[in-house]
């Protein structure tokens, strides 16, 4: 048995790719390995011959297998599916921040420290002094709209 035989090479590559699915899960590598086995079988029975035909068959069979069985392998193998909250306004609401520069009186903006960053902040028109705790109501463009937190509700 000669190792330069293309049938053996394609079969070995196919088996290695299929075993690599254990290391690289996702259902794609196993289908590429199956395509290699299809090419090895086609070379073995004389359906195709030559490198160009072998790679063409591998490419076509890989595409067909991927399109046909990707959903099946994805269900069997599983995968990472993580759904995050995409509404940033909900993440901001009711969170507390520290006032860094006086907010108000009136429409005078101030600054708050929120989630480790300084943000411009707008209040309800009353003076909110520096060092106070505030609750985030919403975001207005790049400014946070805040309200004072009573001293007994500090977190």
């Amino acid at each position: 048995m000669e190792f330069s035989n293309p049938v053996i090479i394609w079969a070995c590559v196919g088996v290695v790719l299929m075993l690599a699915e254990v290391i690289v899960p996702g259902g794609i590598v196993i289908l590429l390995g199956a395509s290699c086995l299809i090419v090895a079988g086609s070379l073995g029975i004389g359906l195709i011959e030559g490198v160009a035909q072998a790679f063409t068959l591998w490419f076509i069979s890989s595409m067909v297998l991927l399109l046909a069985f990707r959903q099946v392998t994805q269900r069997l193998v599983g995968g990472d599916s993580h759904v995050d909250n995409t509404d940033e306004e909900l993440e901001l609401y009711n969170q507390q921040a520290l006032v860094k520069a006086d907010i108000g009186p009136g429409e005078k903006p101030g600054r708050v420290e929120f989630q480790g960053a300084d943000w411009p902040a707008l209040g309800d028109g009353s003076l909110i002094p520096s060092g106070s705790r505030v609750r985030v109501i919403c975001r207005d463009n790049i400014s946070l709209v805040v309200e004072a937190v009573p001293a007994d509700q500090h977190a």
Side-chain angles (χ1 to χ4, degrees):
M1 184 185 307
E2 186 179 320
F3 192 67
S4 64
N5 184 351
V7 175
I8 295 173
I9 293 173
W10 279 100
C12 288
V13 170
V15 169
V16 167
L17 284 174
M18 292 175 91
L19 291 174
E21 183 67 34
V22 174
I23 299 169
V24 185
I28 293 176
V29 181
I30 196 165
L31 296 174
L32 296 176
S35 296
C36 288
L37 294 179
I38 291 171
V39 171
S42 298
L43 283 168
I45 63 172
L47 192 60
I48 60 169
E49 52 188 52
V51 176
Q53 289 181 343
F55 275 106
T56 302
L57 178 61
W58 178 77
F59 179 76
I60 292 170
S61 62
S62 294
M63 288 296 113
V64 168
L65 288 176
L66 285 171
L67 292 174
F69 295 110
R70 177 75 172 121
Q71 294 298 325
V72 174
T73 57
Q74 193 67 28
R75 265 183 274 152
L76 292 175
V77 174
D80 294 342
S81 69
H82 181 72
V83 178
D84 274 334
N85 182 10
T86 57
D87 191 355
E88 294 174 357
E89 297 294 323
L90 288 176
E91 291 181 13
L92 297 175
Y93 181 70
N94 219 20
Q95 299 292 316
Q96 290 196 8
L98 178 66
V99 178
K100 295 300 224 178
D102 291 351
I103 304 170
E107 294 184 16
K108 179 182 174 264
R111 298 209 55 87
V112 295
E113 181 181 320
F114 179 67
Q115 295 181 342
D118 279 0
W119 291 73
L122 302 169
D124 60 1
S126 62
L127 175 66
I128 304 174
S130 177
S132 304
R133 301 290 300 170
V134 291
R135 180 177 294 116
V136 178
I137 303 301
C138 64
R139 192 174 72 202
D140 181 21
N141 203 1
I142 62 168
S143 297
L144 297 177
V145 178
V146 297
E147 69 178 2
V149 174
D152 60 341
Q153 292 184 7
H154 285 227

